[in-house]
Amino acid sequence: MTVWAEKPHDTGSAVWGCNTCERGAWCSDHTTALLEARTHARTHNERTVTIIRAHHGPTANKTRDKTIRKLHTAGHTIRQIAATVGLSNAGVIKALRRIKANAS
């Protein structure tokens, strides 16, 4: 599995990514994410894109959220944070959004 696209439970935004070159992006919907992933897969001479069913995201964990907040404040990238705390990139982004929402 090199190039993948997330299929969300609802009609909300989706994400695609590439494990080979570590690229990816958020898209407005699953169709756009799949199109972007297929276009990117062609750069690697691949024809298939793996569809990943989205889960509802990580459950709130105050210790992990505190670690994510500290690493993000220190200037670490999303990928570095994900590797440190053991989440996917999308999971870290969702956690950062939750942290920001709770702070407001």
Side-chain angles (χ1 to χ4, degrees), residues 83-100:
T84 302
V85 298
L87 288 176
S88 66
N89 294 347
V92 171
I93 291 169
K94 289 175 184 178
L96 286 170
R97 285 186 180 159
R98 183 178 61 246
I99 292 166
K100 186 176 179 179

Side-chain angles (χ1 to χ4, degrees), residues 8-22:
H9 288 289
D10 55 8
T11 57
S13 63
V15 66
W16 70 270
C18 176
N19 295 342
T20 302
C21 63
E22 297 185 350

Side-chain angles (χ1 to χ4, degrees), residues 17-97:
C18 176
N19 295 342
T20 302
C21 63
E22 297 185 350
R23 292 190 64 200
W26 283 96
C27 296
S28 59
D29 59 6
H30 173 66
T31 306
T32 307
L34 190 57
L35 178 65
E36 293 285 334
R38 285 183 179 151
T39 303
H40 182 77
R42 283 190 217 117
T43 66
H44 294 297
N45 294 323
E46 290 189 24
R47 293 180 181 243
T48 59
V49 173
T50 304
I51 306 298
I52 299 173
R53 290 288 300 168
H55 35 273
H56 293 288
T59 56
N61 179 324
K62 291 181 182 181
T63 306
R64 183 180 61 210
D65 286 354
K66 186 183 282 187
T67 303
I68 290 171
R69 186 175 51 247
K70 283 181 184 176
L71 292 172
H72 190 263
T73 304
H76 288 76
T77 66
I78 298 297
R79 259 185 237 125
Q80 291 170 333
I81 296 169
T84 302
V85 298
L87 288 176
S88 66
N89 294 347
V92 171
I93 291 169
K94 289 175 184 178
L96 286 170
R97 285 186 180 159

